[in-house]
Amino acid sequence: MIKIAPSILSADFSDLRSALNLCDAGMADYIHIDVMDNHFVPNLTIGPAVVKSIRFVSKTYFDVHLMVTNPRRLLNSFAKAGANGITFHIEAVDNPGSLIDQIKSLKLEVGISLKPATPLEKITPFLDQIDRVLIMSVEPGFGGQNFIESSLEKINLLHQMLLKYKLDRVEIEVDGGIKLENALDVINAGADVLVVGSGIFKNDDPVNQINKFKELQLS
Ligand code: DX5
Ligand code: ZN
């Protein structure tokens, strides 16, 4: 079963409670939370204080995507705020191994994300230590961008690699530009989790959209 992670970056920030209620009504598997520091990416979004507030609204898994230059400095505050999984960018850190250990010591799941131009070789040494890989299918920083087609090959390469190393417990999560029109290609390439922002929250009926994505299956 494909997992759906609505990205609340595209939701109405003046009413995040309703956005989370919609995700729960649609039986979303994760709530994807985009954290941007206006340094690693040219945008500034959600911090631990917001996560702490919305933690009381939903019990759904909080999938925190850190697009920040210094993720280590934020781990404790997001752990206290109620994150369930933290994903950092491989391009932002010198010592990924110790960061992985630190996230695990906080009893959180760990993910590593890579930008479209970053090759898989950068993360292969860590695949057996993490819970998910977040493949960016847009340049990180904004919702509503177009899906980068070359991401499909990268997803499939990683899928083959995980099978070869018997690491298929590691989730392949794909993020950026996913819509109902291209989602099946992403699933067939090997994705386990689809992050969807504008494809859900910019639609008149977000709950129905989540259901439509969940109904998509490997063809
Ligand atoms: C972009 C974020 C994505 C984004 C997805 O940097 O990491 O999670 O919100 O939104 P859509 O689905 O609209 O591309
Ligand atoms: Zn994201």
Side-chain angles (χ1 to χ4, degrees), residues 54-128:
I54 60 177
R55 182 71 277 182
F56 298 100
V57 176
S58 168
K59 291 191 174 47
T60 302
Y61 185 103
F62 276 11
D63 170 31
V64 175
H65 177 193
L66 295 182
M67 287 160 276
V68 303
T69 299
N70 189 340
R72 193 182 297 277
R73 201 164 52 195
L74 288 166
L75 298 183
N76 289 330
S77 48
F78 276 108
K80 283 199 195 96
N84 299 98
I86 289 187
T87 296
F88 63 89
H89 268 266
I90 193 71
E91 303 90 358
V93 295
D94 300 331
N95 188 348
S98 82
L99 192 60
I100 290 167
D101 293 343
Q102 196 177 339
I103 295 171
K104 284 182 176 174
S105 73
L106 294 165
K107 304 278 181 274
L108 302 177
E109 291 195 326
V110 188
I112 298 183
S113 186
L114 58 178
K115 292 180 176 183
T118 303
L120 287 173
E121 290 68 46
K122 291 281 184 195
I123 62 159
T124 42
F126 311 103
L127 287 177
D128 61 348

Side-chain angles (χ1 to χ4, degrees), residues 127-196:
L127 287 177
D128 61 348
Q129 301 165 46
I130 60 176
D131 302 289
R132 68 181 55 89
V133 175
L134 181 65
I135 291 186
M136 293 306 301
S137 44
V138 296
E139 198 54 40
F142 301 92
Q145 300 180 79
N146 292 331
F147 183 85
I148 297 172
E149 289 302 319
S150 60
S151 311
L152 294 173
E153 193 190 331
K154 198 178 194 178
I155 297 162
N156 194 252
L157 265 177
L158 177 60
H159 178 61
Q160 301 303 333
M161 204 185 279
L162 292 173
L163 286 177
K164 182 176 160 205
Y165 297 135
K166 298 194 174 9
L167 286 172
D168 34 340
R169 68 163 179 77
V170 177
E171 283 184 339
I172 300 177
E173 185 174 20
V174 182
D175 186 8
I178 298 178
K179 301 286 189 294
L180 280 173
E181 296 72 34
N182 61 19
L184 210 46
D185 292 339
V186 180
I187 295 169
N188 287 335
D192 303 297
V193 186
L194 304 181
V195 175
V196 184

